Short mmCIF file of all heavy atoms in Angstrom, two decimals:
data_model
loop_
_atom_site.label_atom_id
_atom_site.label_comp_id
_atom_site.label_asym_id
_atom_site.label_seq_id
_atom_site.Cartn_x
_atom_site.Cartn_y
_atom_site.Cartn_z
N ILE O 141 83.39 127.96 62.38
CA ILE O 141 81.99 128.31 62.15
C ILE O 141 81.77 129.79 62.51
O ILE O 141 82.04 130.21 63.63
CB ILE O 141 81.07 127.39 62.99
CG1 ILE O 141 81.37 125.92 62.65
CG2 ILE O 141 79.60 127.73 62.73
CD1 ILE O 141 80.59 124.90 63.46
N LEU O 142 81.31 130.54 61.53
CA LEU O 142 81.06 131.97 61.71
C LEU O 142 79.78 132.18 62.51
O LEU O 142 78.87 131.38 62.41
CB LEU O 142 80.90 132.65 60.34
CG LEU O 142 82.16 132.68 59.48
CD1 LEU O 142 81.80 133.15 58.06
CD2 LEU O 142 83.20 133.58 60.08
N SER O 143 79.61 133.25 63.23
CA SER O 143 80.67 134.22 63.47
C SER O 143 81.24 134.07 64.87
O SER O 143 82.25 134.68 65.20
CB SER O 143 80.11 135.65 63.37
OG SER O 143 79.56 135.89 62.11
N GLY O 144 80.58 133.24 65.70
CA GLY O 144 80.95 133.17 67.11
C GLY O 144 82.37 132.72 67.37
O GLY O 144 82.96 133.05 68.40
N ALA O 145 82.95 131.93 66.44
CA ALA O 145 84.27 131.35 66.69
C ALA O 145 85.43 132.23 66.22
O ALA O 145 86.59 131.85 66.38
CB ALA O 145 84.36 129.97 66.03
N ILE O 146 85.14 133.40 65.68
CA ILE O 146 86.22 134.15 64.99
C ILE O 146 87.37 134.54 65.92
O ILE O 146 88.52 134.45 65.55
CB ILE O 146 85.69 135.40 64.24
CG1 ILE O 146 84.84 136.28 65.16
CG2 ILE O 146 84.95 135.02 62.98
CD1 ILE O 146 84.40 137.60 64.53
N ILE O 147 87.05 134.95 67.12
CA ILE O 147 88.12 135.42 68.01
C ILE O 147 88.88 134.22 68.57
O ILE O 147 90.12 134.22 68.62
CB ILE O 147 87.54 136.32 69.12
CG1 ILE O 147 86.95 137.56 68.44
CG2 ILE O 147 88.60 136.70 70.15
CD1 ILE O 147 86.33 138.57 69.36
N PHE O 148 88.17 133.19 68.93
CA PHE O 148 88.81 131.95 69.38
C PHE O 148 89.72 131.41 68.29
O PHE O 148 90.88 131.05 68.53
CB PHE O 148 87.71 130.95 69.76
CG PHE O 148 88.19 129.60 70.17
CD1 PHE O 148 89.31 129.44 70.99
CD2 PHE O 148 87.51 128.45 69.76
CE1 PHE O 148 89.74 128.18 71.39
CE2 PHE O 148 87.93 127.19 70.15
CZ PHE O 148 89.05 127.05 70.96
N LEU O 149 89.22 131.36 67.06
CA LEU O 149 90.01 130.86 65.94
C LEU O 149 91.30 131.67 65.78
O LEU O 149 92.40 131.10 65.66
CB LEU O 149 89.19 130.94 64.65
CG LEU O 149 89.92 130.58 63.37
CD1 LEU O 149 90.18 129.07 63.29
CD2 LEU O 149 89.15 131.05 62.13
N ALA O 150 91.16 132.99 65.79
CA ALA O 150 92.32 133.85 65.58
C ALA O 150 93.38 133.63 66.65
O ALA O 150 94.59 133.60 66.35
CB ALA O 150 91.88 135.32 65.57
N ASP O 151 92.96 133.46 67.89
CA ASP O 151 93.93 133.24 68.97
C ASP O 151 94.52 131.84 68.89
O ASP O 151 95.72 131.65 69.05
CB ASP O 151 93.25 133.45 70.34
CG ASP O 151 93.04 134.93 70.65
OD1 ASP O 151 93.63 135.78 69.94
OD2 ASP O 151 92.29 135.22 71.60
N LEU O 152 93.66 130.86 68.66
CA LEU O 152 94.13 129.46 68.66
C LEU O 152 95.17 129.20 67.58
O LEU O 152 96.23 128.63 67.84
CB LEU O 152 92.91 128.53 68.46
CG LEU O 152 93.19 127.04 68.53
CD1 LEU O 152 93.47 126.60 69.96
CD2 LEU O 152 92.01 126.24 67.96
N ILE O 153 94.89 129.63 66.37
CA ILE O 153 95.80 129.28 65.26
C ILE O 153 97.16 129.95 65.41
O ILE O 153 98.16 129.43 64.93
CB ILE O 153 95.19 129.56 63.87
CG1 ILE O 153 94.86 131.03 63.68
CG2 ILE O 153 93.99 128.67 63.62
CD1 ILE O 153 94.35 131.38 62.27
N ARG O 154 97.21 131.08 66.10
CA ARG O 154 98.51 131.73 66.28
C ARG O 154 99.39 131.01 67.30
O ARG O 154 100.55 131.31 67.44
CB ARG O 154 98.32 133.21 66.63
CG ARG O 154 97.90 134.00 65.39
CD ARG O 154 97.69 135.44 65.69
NE ARG O 154 96.52 135.62 66.56
CZ ARG O 154 96.21 136.76 67.13
NH1 ARG O 154 96.98 137.81 66.97
NH2 ARG O 154 95.13 136.86 67.88
N HIS O 155 98.80 130.03 68.00
CA HIS O 155 99.59 129.18 68.90
C HIS O 155 99.84 127.81 68.29
O HIS O 155 100.32 126.92 68.98
CB HIS O 155 98.88 129.01 70.24
CG HIS O 155 98.84 130.27 71.05
ND1 HIS O 155 99.98 130.87 71.55
CD2 HIS O 155 97.81 131.04 71.43
CE1 HIS O 155 99.64 131.95 72.22
NE2 HIS O 155 98.34 132.10 72.14
N LEU O 156 99.48 127.63 67.03
CA LEU O 156 99.64 126.32 66.39
C LEU O 156 100.75 126.39 65.33
O LEU O 156 100.51 126.85 64.20
CB LEU O 156 98.33 125.90 65.72
CG LEU O 156 97.27 125.26 66.62
CD1 LEU O 156 95.99 125.03 65.83
CD2 LEU O 156 97.77 123.95 67.22
N PRO O 157 101.94 125.94 65.67
CA PRO O 157 103.06 126.06 64.74
C PRO O 157 103.07 124.91 63.73
O PRO O 157 103.93 124.03 63.77
CB PRO O 157 104.28 125.98 65.68
CG PRO O 157 103.80 125.12 66.81
CD PRO O 157 102.31 125.29 66.92
N MET O 158 102.10 124.88 62.86
CA MET O 158 102.01 123.79 61.87
C MET O 158 101.37 124.31 60.59
O MET O 158 100.74 125.37 60.58
CB MET O 158 101.20 122.63 62.45
CG MET O 158 99.80 123.03 62.88
SD MET O 158 99.05 121.84 64.00
CE MET O 158 99.02 120.41 62.99
N ARG O 159 101.53 123.53 59.50
CA ARG O 159 100.88 123.92 58.25
C ARG O 159 99.37 123.81 58.40
O ARG O 159 98.88 122.85 59.00
CB ARG O 159 101.33 122.99 57.12
CG ARG O 159 102.73 123.20 56.65
CD ARG O 159 103.12 122.12 55.68
NE ARG O 159 102.34 122.18 54.44
CZ ARG O 159 102.64 122.94 53.40
NH1 ARG O 159 103.72 123.70 53.43
NH2 ARG O 159 101.90 122.93 52.32
N MET O 160 98.65 124.75 57.85
CA MET O 160 97.19 124.66 57.91
C MET O 160 96.53 125.48 56.81
O MET O 160 97.10 126.46 56.32
CB MET O 160 96.68 125.13 59.27
CG MET O 160 96.85 126.59 59.53
SD MET O 160 96.08 127.06 61.10
CE MET O 160 97.07 126.14 62.27
N LYS O 161 95.36 125.02 56.43
CA LYS O 161 94.49 125.84 55.60
C LYS O 161 93.23 126.11 56.41
O LYS O 161 92.85 125.28 57.25
CB LYS O 161 94.13 125.12 54.31
CG LYS O 161 95.30 125.00 53.35
CD LYS O 161 94.86 124.46 52.02
CE LYS O 161 96.04 124.45 51.05
NZ LYS O 161 95.63 123.98 49.70
N ILE O 162 92.62 127.23 56.15
CA ILE O 162 91.45 127.61 56.95
C ILE O 162 90.21 127.67 56.06
O ILE O 162 90.23 128.32 55.02
CB ILE O 162 91.64 129.03 57.56
CG1 ILE O 162 93.00 129.15 58.22
CG2 ILE O 162 90.48 129.38 58.50
CD1 ILE O 162 93.07 128.94 59.65
N GLY O 163 89.17 127.02 56.50
CA GLY O 163 87.87 127.14 55.84
C GLY O 163 86.86 127.75 56.79
O GLY O 163 87.03 127.67 58.01
N LEU O 164 85.83 128.36 56.23
CA LEU O 164 84.80 128.99 57.06
C LEU O 164 83.42 128.54 56.59
O LEU O 164 83.18 128.46 55.39
CB LEU O 164 84.90 130.51 56.97
CG LEU O 164 86.19 131.14 57.51
CD1 LEU O 164 86.28 132.59 57.10
CD2 LEU O 164 86.27 130.99 59.03
N VAL O 165 82.57 128.24 57.55
CA VAL O 165 81.17 128.00 57.19
C VAL O 165 80.31 128.93 58.03
O VAL O 165 80.67 129.29 59.14
CB VAL O 165 80.74 126.52 57.41
CG1 VAL O 165 81.53 125.58 56.54
CG2 VAL O 165 80.84 126.11 58.86
N ALA O 166 79.18 129.30 57.48
CA ALA O 166 78.26 130.17 58.22
C ALA O 166 76.98 129.38 58.50
O ALA O 166 76.42 128.75 57.60
CB ALA O 166 77.94 131.42 57.41
N VAL O 167 76.59 129.39 59.76
CA VAL O 167 75.37 128.70 60.18
C VAL O 167 74.49 129.72 60.90
O VAL O 167 74.97 130.46 61.74
CB VAL O 167 75.71 127.53 61.14
CG1 VAL O 167 74.44 126.89 61.68
CG2 VAL O 167 76.56 126.49 60.43
#
Side-chain angles (χ1 to χ4, degrees):
I141 304 177
L142 293 170
S143 300
I146 51 175
I147 296 180
F148 177 41
L149 174 73
D151 284 347
L152 184 73
I153 60 176
R154 285 179 292 170
H155 290 296
L156 278 175
M158 57 198 299
R159 287 172 66 85
M160 68 175 64
K161 290 188 176 183
I162 312 263
L164 296 168
V165 298
V167 175

